[in-house]
């Protein structure tokens, strides 16, 4: 059976982009694949984190998976650091990854900023650890938002480099699954920036834990342009804020942008925003409520992670012993 691996960093402020670009797609895929969903806490450490908040956010992402409908009986849900094999395979991959490949990574350039010399080695090696996450389980499919496309191409390159170097076909080349009308949700304040956990303005994003009033207020305050909505998808060209809101509506209602414009084309933003706010509250409201309920009893969430890390660890240990044999490491 084909296997899925994907993950979210426990860095707080889980938002509508994480939900529509990633988590909701996982819910849809869980019946057709053998699924492993990770909370990638080691990736979070590539930028400074407060220890207590890191623990809280790890439980929060787990609660978001469960509240969104990921079934821990069907899928493995665990946190990355609880399976030591991720770090180990990342080292083996670090030894076969040319610096030139890493130098192309745009996310490193964005996150390192101007003072690249001060950026940590972990931030630089981030995509190597990501390749290890996926390939430790020999996953064949990786559902992610569009921003992870380049990292996934690198994972494929690393799998290929390993297979060539050791003359094997051990690792599959994992396929990205970038799905739906909201694979890249943009900021509500600026249609040319991605919606992101780290944007200083809370009005730039809809958080998965926002209450109904907050969601409605954020939608109403979202930036727009003065024209009425266009009748066709082509009419969204050069109107990034309109394109973003229409894409969000299409994704939430599981239709296409063309269908949304068939209803709202020619109308003013105010009317459309009322409908969008209602739809967003209907979708996210119950999930946020369920997250709060789960977080009030962390014992349950921790139990899910514990069981998940046992199941993940078993697969990881089995694969790592094969990988050791392939590369020539002795297990006396
Ligand atoms: P991160 O928050 O960086 O850990 O991302 C977790 C998942 O959410 C990844 O699959 C990302 O591609 C996806 N994601 C993050 N931000 C967005 C966004 N603005 N639009 C769509 N998907 C996103
Ligand atoms: N880098 C991904 C992100 O920020 C998170 C991630 C880490 C991931 N390891 C992964 C996603 C493996 C898919 C598969 O969104």
């Amino acid at each position: 059976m084909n296997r899925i691996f994907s993950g979210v960093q426990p860095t707080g402020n889980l938002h509508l982009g994480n939900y529509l670009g990633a988590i909701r797609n996982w819910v849809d895929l869980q019946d057709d694949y053998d699924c492993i969903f990770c909370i990638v806490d080691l990736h979070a450490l590539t930028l400074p984190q407060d220890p207590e908040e890191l623990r809280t956010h790890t439980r929060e992402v787990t609660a978001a998976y469960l509240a969104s409908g990921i079934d821990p009986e069907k899928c493995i849900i665990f946190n990355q650091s609880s399976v030591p094999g991720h770090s180990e395979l990342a080292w083996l991959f670090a030894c076969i990854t040319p610096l030139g490949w890493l130098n192309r990574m745009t996310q490193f350039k964005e996150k390192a900023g101007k003072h690249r010399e001060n950026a940590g080695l972990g931030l630089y090696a981030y995509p190597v650890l990501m390749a290890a996450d996926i390939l430790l389980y020999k996953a064949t499919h990786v559902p992610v938002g569009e921003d992870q496309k380049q990292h996934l191409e690198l994972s494929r390159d690393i799998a290929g480099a390993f297979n060539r170097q050791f003359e094997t076909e051990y690792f599959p080349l994992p396929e990205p699954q970038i799905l739906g009308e909201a694979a890249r949700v943009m900021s509500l304040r600026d249609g040319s920036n991605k919606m992101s956990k780290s944007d200083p303005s809370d009005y730039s994003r809809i958080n998965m834990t926002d209450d109904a009033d907050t969601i409605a207020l954020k939608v109403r305050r979202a930036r727009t342009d003065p024209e009425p909505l266009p009748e066709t998808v082509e009419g969204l060209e050069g109107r990034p804020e309109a394109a973003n809101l229409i894409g969000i509506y299409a994704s939430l209602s599981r239709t296409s942008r063309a269908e949304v414009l068939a209803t709202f084309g020619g109308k003013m933003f105010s009317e459309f925003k009322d409908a969008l706010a209602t739809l967003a509250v209907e979708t996210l409201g119950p999930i946020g409520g369920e997250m709060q309920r789960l977080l009030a009893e962390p014992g349950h969430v921790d139990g899910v992670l514990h069981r998940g890390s046992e199941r993940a660890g078993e697969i990881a240990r089995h694969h790592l012993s094969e990988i050791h044999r392939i590369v020539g490491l002795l297990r006396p």
Side-chain angles (χ1 to χ4, degrees):
M1 181 149 157
N2 285 323
R3 175 173 283 161
I4 276 180
F5 185 100
S6 197
V8 172
Q9 301 182 69
T11 42
N13 296 334
L14 274 175
H15 53 70
L16 185 66
N18 296 129
Y19 180 66
L20 294 179
I23 302 171
R24 195 186 65 178
N25 297 328
W26 307 352
V27 178
D28 297 340
L29 293 163
Q30 65 182 333
D31 292 324
D32 301 323
Y33 293 82
D34 172 15
C35 289
I36 306 179
F37 298 120
C38 191
I39 297 94
V40 287
D41 47 9
L42 297 174
H43 275 106
L45 290 175
T46 57
L47 293 174
Q49 302 297 331
D50 174 81
E52 209 43 60
E53 281 182 8
L54 180 59
R55 254 186 296 273
T56 304
H57 291 150
T58 300
R59 292 193 175 111
E60 193 177 273
V61 176
T62 312
Y65 289 1
L66 296 172
S68 301
I70 293 173
D71 180 351
E73 297 301 319
K74 285 188 204 140
C75 310
I76 296 179
I77 300 176
F78 77 109
N79 61 315
Q80 191 183 26
S81 63
S82 69
V83 176
H86 292 250
S87 311
E88 189 179 338
L89 186 58
W91 175 258
L92 299 180
F93 285 164
C95 296
I96 62 164
T97 306
L99 294 186
W101 291 2
L102 294 178
N103 289 338
R104 288 204 296 266
M105 296 296 115
T106 54
Q107 195 165 88
F108 172 75
K109 291 178 198 165
E110 279 160 27
K111 288 191 180 177
K114 278 196 217 101
H115 303 288
R116 206 173 292 174
E117 294 294 310
N118 294 340
L121 178 57
L123 190 64
Y124 194 56
Y126 180 114
V128 178
L129 177 60
M130 182 161 158
D133 296 339
I134 298 163
L135 295 167
L136 183 55
Y137 303 94
K138 303 220 252 176
T140 52
H141 293 79
V142 186
V144 283
E146 202 179 82
D147 60 345
Q148 296 303 311
K149 202 170 162 208
Q150 194 185 36
H151 286 159
L152 273 173
E153 277 158 17
L154 187 81
S155 297
R156 290 170 64 88
D157 289 344
I158 291 175
F162 182 98
N163 289 349
R164 265 194 312 284
Q165 179 161 336
F166 297 102
E167 295 175 351
T168 167
E169 285 178 17
Y170 188 73
F171 288 120
L173 303 189
E175 293 281 344
Q177 291 175 307
I178 296 167
L179 304 165
E181 297 276 12
R184 188 176 178 80
V185 177
M186 308 308 279
S187 156
L188 300 182
R189 308 299 294 171
D190 175 357
S192 58
N193 275 333
K194 199 176 65 167
M195 184 176 285
S196 120
K197 292 166 172 170
S198 56
D199 193 312
S201 165
D202 200 52
Y203 281 94
S204 70
R205 67 182 158 261
I206 295 175
N207 297 309
M208 287 183 73
T209 47
D210 281 342
D211 61 28
D213 290 346
T214 311
I215 295 174
L217 184 64
K218 285 177 174 177
V219 171
R220 243 180 288 127
R221 289 222 191 149
R223 183 161 149 188
T224 51
D225 59 48
E227 303 298 317
L229 285 159
E231 310 274 349
T232 63
V233 173
E234 293 72 46
L236 292 169
E237 198 79 17
R239 298 180 65 185
E241 283 83 14
N244 188 38
L245 296 179
I246 295 291
I248 291 173
Y249 191 102
S251 178
L252 282 171
S253 60
R254 295 182 181 275
T255 54
S256 62
R257 293 188 300 167
E259 278 179 80
V260 179
L261 291 174
T263 311
F264 292 100
K267 301 219 161 100
M268 299 308 289
F269 274 103
S270 53
E271 186 179 340
F272 170 67
K273 279 178 163 182
D274 284 342
L276 178 58
T278 305
L279 187 57
V281 168
E282 269 171 19
T283 312
L284 289 184
I287 297 176
E290 178 65 4
M291 280 175 71
Q292 305 296 2
R293 203 186 61 73
L294 286 164
L295 291 171
E297 39 163 345
H300 174 69
V301 167
D302 289 6
V304 167
L305 290 175
H306 183 79
R307 170 94 189 93
S309 65
E310 279 179 353
R311 290 165 67 196
E314 212 169 296
I315 304 170
R317 277 189 300 278
H318 173 65
H319 287 165
L320 266 176
S321 70
E322 294 174 338
I323 295 164
H324 279 203
R325 196 158 31 75
I326 293 170
V327 303
L329 295 172
L330 185 67
R331 278 216 173 154

